[in-house]
Amino acid sequence: MTSAIIITFCSLLLIAYLFDLTFPKTKIPSVILLLLLGWIMKQVAIFSKIQLPDFTRVLTVTGSIGLLLIVLEATLELELNKSKIPLIKKSFIGALLSMFALAFLLAFIFSYFGSYSFKDCLVNAIPFCVVSSAIAIPSVKNLRPSDKEFIIYESSLSDILSVLFFNFIVQNRTIGLGSFGNFGAQILVIIVVSFVATVGLSYLLNKIEHQIKFVPIILLVMLIYEISVVYNLPSLIFIMMFGLFLGNLNELKRFKWIEFFRPNELDVEAQKFKSLTIEAAFLIRAIFFLFFGYSMETSEILNTDTLMWSVTIVALIFIFRAVQIKLSNLPLKSLLFVSPRGLITILLFLSIAPAHRISIVNKALITQVILLTTLIMMLALIIIPQIQKRKQRKETTVKASDPNNNLVEEISNTNDISFENCDA
């Protein structure tokens, strides 16, 4: 039995790795294939009459670790310099405003049709407002560097802002000046903790000479993160600060105090740490989506009662997305449909206390919204580049077959020759 479990588990993760390798050619996000693989695994278990445990608790644990590693992986990739400030502003403002606007509109709709308290409706609406970095970042490898960079910034900030917003609403019974003051104090505390922890962890990363050094650092990062969660601090700010510090050592070399960390040596260790983080994030992400796929019921995917709600929510997501991109003066065709929901949506939904859940928002609705947004993104990433290539080919063909264009080229060439003769 033990051998069968190990063989199955290793085989599934190797298949997940294969999905990741084949993405550049298939353009199918690995998340879709992982969910499908998890669902097939459940059908096989049912057919074979194999009793497997409920993976809901595993989902919560792997999701929390996955969130930490995904945000850390993303922030290690980000560059902070003056040239990136406009992009960071667009990403931050776009992620913040679209999240608020969509959350309050959905909360109003839920409240209107379900007669629930507005606060409960808002808590249930926030999970739908997160651009999933776990799905978006791996899916945009083939986009232009500037578009890819925007998605990395936007989805990472969306993860962080949505968790902060969700916790703020959940932790405060009433919203007033006191709650905002308390929230501000929490942010101030976590910034101080993050600064001290980042300095300490960076020093250890460079100082430890034992052959095992990266695992203790990751465990310490998880420990600080979870302790911050226990004390209701916005712990993702710590992950972001730590990742940005290690990922931007070259930019920090102009400051004298950075010499304390021996930046050249630390940069070498940071690159190794980054590689380990990327691989750990892949592993946890694959396990999470496999288990979530296993937990999906066919009746939930095909639930007609929630289908109208899921289509409406997805339509609103892309309407707000279009407005955000237009206002940010970014390419609409490339970025419009890159707005998937995923890991954070599931985590926030699972975090809602039973007393605050509303019947409209259930697992079937969450599943359908995740699948629809991811499938739409997948189709857009496959179809739009093909349309653009065809358009470029047509333009090239038209130019080549246009006699006027050839005449202009001939005149231009003649003029070039005459000028050359004059110079001679």
Side-chain angles (χ1 to χ4, degrees):
M1 185 65 179
T2 304
S3 296
I5 292 170
I6 293 171
I7 290 168
T8 303
F9 199 64
C10 291
S11 300
L12 289 171
L13 290 176
L14 285 171
I15 293 170
Y17 179 61
L18 189 65
F19 291 159
D20 218 47
L21 284 178
T22 56
F23 170 75
K25 292 185 177 180
T26 63
K27 302 294 189 299
I28 302 173
S30 59
V31 170
I32 290 284
L33 298 172
L34 287 170
L35 292 174
L36 179 62
L37 184 61
W39 180 82
I40 291 170
M41 187 173 65
K42 181 164 189 174
Q43 306 314 306
V44 170
I46 292 170
F47 180 78
S48 306
K49 296 181 181 179
I50 299 171
Q51 292 291 330
L52 292 174
D54 183 12
F55 289 120
T56 305
R57 288 185 180 274
V58 179
L59 272 177
T60 307
V61 174
T62 55
S64 297
I65 297 171
L67 170 62
L68 182 157
L69 290 173
I70 288 163
V71 173
L72 182 57
E73 177 191 359
T75 50
L76 283 167
E77 293 278 357
L78 298 180
E79 293 180 20
L80 281 182
N81 52 53
K82 289 182 180 179
S83 66
K84 305 294 180 185
I85 291 174
L87 182 62
I88 295 170
K89 282 183 180 178
K90 286 181 181 179
S91 305
F92 179 80
I93 294 170
L96 183 67
L97 294 182
S98 61
M99 178 186 69
F100 279 141
L102 183 58
F104 280 101
L105 178 60
L106 287 177
F108 173 77
I109 294 170
F110 292 156
S111 179
Y112 181 80
F113 286 97
S115 301
Y116 306 104
S117 72
F118 188 79
K119 182 184 174 182
D120 285 348
C121 291
L122 188 58
V123 168
N124 284 264
I126 293 171
F128 297 108
C129 306
V130 194
V131 179
S132 173
S133 60
I135 300 176
I137 293 173
S139 301
V140 295
K141 293 175 182 177
N142 297 332
L143 291 185
R144 293 183 308 174
S146 58
D147 294 340
K148 180 183 174 182
E149 205 167 28
F150 172 77
I151 293 296
I152 292 173
Y153 277 108
E154 184 208 25
S155 58
S156 302
L157 288 169
S158 182
D159 287 351
I160 294 166
L161 292 170
S162 61
V163 172
L164 291 177
F165 186 30
F166 181 84
N167 289 337
F168 176 75
I169 298 298
V170 168
Q171 291 168 12
N172 293 285
R173 292 184 180 180
T174 57
I175 309 298
L177 288 175
S179 54
F180 281 105
N182 185 47
F183 184 65
Q186 288 176 345
I187 290 179
L188 189 63
V189 169
I190 196 63
I191 287 173
V192 173
V193 170
S194 301
F195 178 77
V196 173
T198 297
V199 169
L201 289 169
S202 301
Y203 179 75
L204 287 174
L205 186 62
N206 204 17
K207 199 70 176 174
I208 295 174
E209 295 181 358
H210 193 270
Q211 58 185 356
I212 300 170
K213 64 188 302 182
F214 299 116
V215 171
I217 297 296
I218 287 182
L219 291 174
L220 282 169
V221 169
M222 289 182 181
L223 183 64
I224 295 166
Y225 174 83
E226 288 301 329
I227 290 172
S228 301
V229 169
V230 169
Y231 285 97
N232 298 321
L233 296 173
S235 48
L236 282 177
I237 291 176
F238 156 62
I239 302 299
M240 184 177 68
M241 286 181 65
F242 181 59
L244 288 173
F245 179 80
L246 288 184
N248 290 274
L249 289 169
N250 289 330
E251 296 295 328
L252 296 170
K253 284 179 182 178
R254 63 179 182 270
F255 300 108
K256 288 185 178 180
W257 57 266
I258 199 69
E259 293 299 326
F260 172 76
F261 296 98
R262 293 180 295 176
N264 292 329
E265 295 176 22
L266 180 58
D267 191 43
V268 174
E269 300 302 323
Q271 292 304 317
K272 295 177 184 176
F273 179 76
K274 179 181 172 182
S275 297
L276 180 64
T277 303
I278 290 170
E279 299 205 10
F282 159 76
L283 185 65
I284 297 297
R285 183 169 57 236
I287 293 170
F288 177 85
F289 284 111
L290 277 171
F291 283 148
F292 185 72
Y294 179 86
S295 69
M296 290 191 312
E297 300 286 347
T298 308
S299 57
E300 292 172 349
I301 301 170
L302 304 175
N303 190 332
T304 54
D305 295 333
T306 57
L307 189 59
M308 184 61 72
W309 277 106
S310 61
V311 170
T312 302
I313 290 169
V314 170
L316 288 172
I317 286 170
F318 289 116
I319 289 169
F320 278 95
R321 179 75 171 171
V323 173
Q324 172 199 346
I325 291 170
K326 273 291 182 184
L327 292 175
S328 300
N329 198 26
L330 293 165
L332 190 65
K333 286 183 181 178
S334 303
L335 300 173
L336 173 60
F337 298 107
V338 186
S339 190
R341 273 45 185 167
L343 189 146
I344 309 293
T345 298
I346 299 164
L347 273 183
L348 294 182
F349 170 71
L350 294 174
S351 301
I352 301 172
H356 297 295
R357 287 193 178 176
I358 61 176
S359 59
I360 295 172
V361 179
N362 51 38
K363 193 180 172 187
L365 182 62
I366 294 287
T367 303
Q368 288 177 352
V369 169
I370 290 171
L371 290 175
L372 284 172
T373 52
T374 309
L375 285 170
I376 289 169
M377 180 191 71
M378 178 190 75
L379 292 172
L381 291 174
I382 293 172
I383 294 169
I384 290 174
Q386 291 179 352
I387 293 172
Q388 289 174 341
K389 284 180 183 177
R390 286 176 188 172
K391 190 177 178 181
Q392 287 173 356
R393 284 173 189 167
K394 282 183 180 179
E395 288 175 355
T396 306
T397 306
V398 169
K399 285 180 181 179
S401 61
D402 187 355
N404 295 326
N405 189 55
N406 292 335
L407 182 62
V408 170
E409 287 181 2
E410 286 176 12
I411 293 168
S412 176
N413 292 335
T414 305
N415 289 337
D416 291 340
I417 293 167
S418 64
F419 281 123
E420 285 174 10
N421 293 334
C422 289
D423 291 337

